Amino acid sequence: DGSSTVIEAGLSAPSREPKHLLRLVEDKIESIDMGFGVDLMVLSALVTETLPLAQTSLTETNGKIGPEALIDRLVNRLDARAVHRLVPRTSHIPELAQSLRNAFAGPSLWPAQPERPPRPPLLFASPEPLTVLAEIPEGPPARFTWRHVTRRVVRAEGPERIAPEWWRTLSSRISARPRDYYRVEDEDGHRYWMFREGLYQESAHGVPSWYLHGVFG
């Protein structure tokens, strides 16, 4: 009937996988009313990027799948403004170690952190204060009170010490204190990720404080 339609599909990272590229286009084509048929289809790559080289093994296959394929499908279904991804930041403090960016913003220049002890899937935006009773000053908690409910600890792992970022406090009066993180389990089987901020030897900075930073599923 002389009409034309334009559909767009984007990628969050360079790709040369035919199945993935065709899948993105197919999702868009399904929404078009073909009427009496189509006379001509033209595929154009408006923006191209170099695909970085990857080291492959002659004896083993790398089964690790990146998130880009899933991100591309979500973006093409929901719109780019509705999809975001977490990228590493220049910090080792858990609540500062990642930032939320647009799915097409590209990779972060700060490398991902190396292997470390397990992190909870639910991390609080701000650590919540705890009232803790420990058997020894520098040891894990025996009991803790969170949101007005007291829980008894039956298992604990740690500590995992995270050093303070002292350079962030040079221009302020707030002192940087180390954190000792523990993974603990209460008598009902619930698991928590908590930390003690400060050391008892640092008498000049006051008594250490306890915080809950996340929960495990």
Side-chain angles (χ1 to χ4, degrees):
D1 58 359
S3 63
S4 62
T5 302
V6 177
I7 61 175
E8 295 182 353
L11 295 169
S12 58
S15 174
R16 58 171 173 232
E17 295 294 332
K19 291 183 179 180
H20 177 53
L21 299 176
L22 288 175
R23 185 64 178 269
L24 297 179
V25 176
E26 288 174 356
D27 291 342
K28 297 287 187 176
I29 292 178
E30 291 177 355
S31 62
I32 298 178
D33 182 8
M34 296 296 181
F36 295 103
V38 177
D39 296 325
L40 177 67
M41 284 190 178
V42 178
L43 177 64
S44 301
L46 303 181
V47 178
T48 60
E49 296 181 8
T50 303
L51 188 66
L53 299 177
Q55 179 67 43
T56 59
S57 172
L58 297 177
T59 58
E60 298 179 359
T61 57
N62 185 7
K64 185 177 180 180
I65 302 176
E68 287 77 15
L70 175 60
I71 291 174
D72 295 342
R73 294 191 61 188
L74 290 175
V75 167
N76 281 278
R77 285 180 178 270
L78 304 176
D79 189 79
R81 293 173 295 180
V83 183
H84 296 80
R85 65 190 303 179
L86 291 171
V87 296
R89 291 180 59 192
T90 55
S91 177
H92 296 288
I93 304 300
E95 66 268 26
L96 302 177
Q98 291 180 318
S99 63
L100 199 63
R101 298 177 63 183
N102 184 276
F104 285 170
S108 171
L109 299 178
W110 180 254
Q113 295 186 7
E115 292 295 328
R116 57 192 180 187
R119 296 288 192 265
L122 177 58
L123 191 70
F124 300 152
S126 298
E128 300 188 6
L130 295 175
T131 301
V132 169
L133 175 64
E135 295 180 352
I136 57 176
E138 299 292 347
R143 290 179 179 272
F144 67 94
T145 301
W146 175 49
R147 295 180 179 178
H148 307 291
V149 178
T150 300
R151 298 169 172 85
R152 185 173 67 89
V153 176
V154 295
R155 294 182 180 86
E157 295 178 323
E160 174 197 354
R161 178 161 295 180
I162 296 181
E165 296 178 337
W166 53 266
W167 56 90
R168 297 182 184 273
T169 62
L170 292 178
S171 59
S172 66
R173 297 181 179 180
I174 301 176
S175 60
R177 309 179 74 181
R179 296 180 179 182
D180 282 347
Y181 277 85
Y182 292 89
R183 297 181 301 279
V184 305
E185 181 180 329
D186 66 11
E187 51 192 349
D188 295 325
H190 302 144
R191 302 188 67 211
Y192 309 87
W193 198 46
M194 59 184 61
F195 67 91
R196 180 184 60 246
E197 186 177 47
L199 303 174
Y200 285 94
Q201 300 93 319
E202 300 174 337
S203 57
H205 300 297
V207 179
S209 302
W210 283 86
Y211 297 91
L212 184 65
H213 207 158
V215 294
F216 293 89

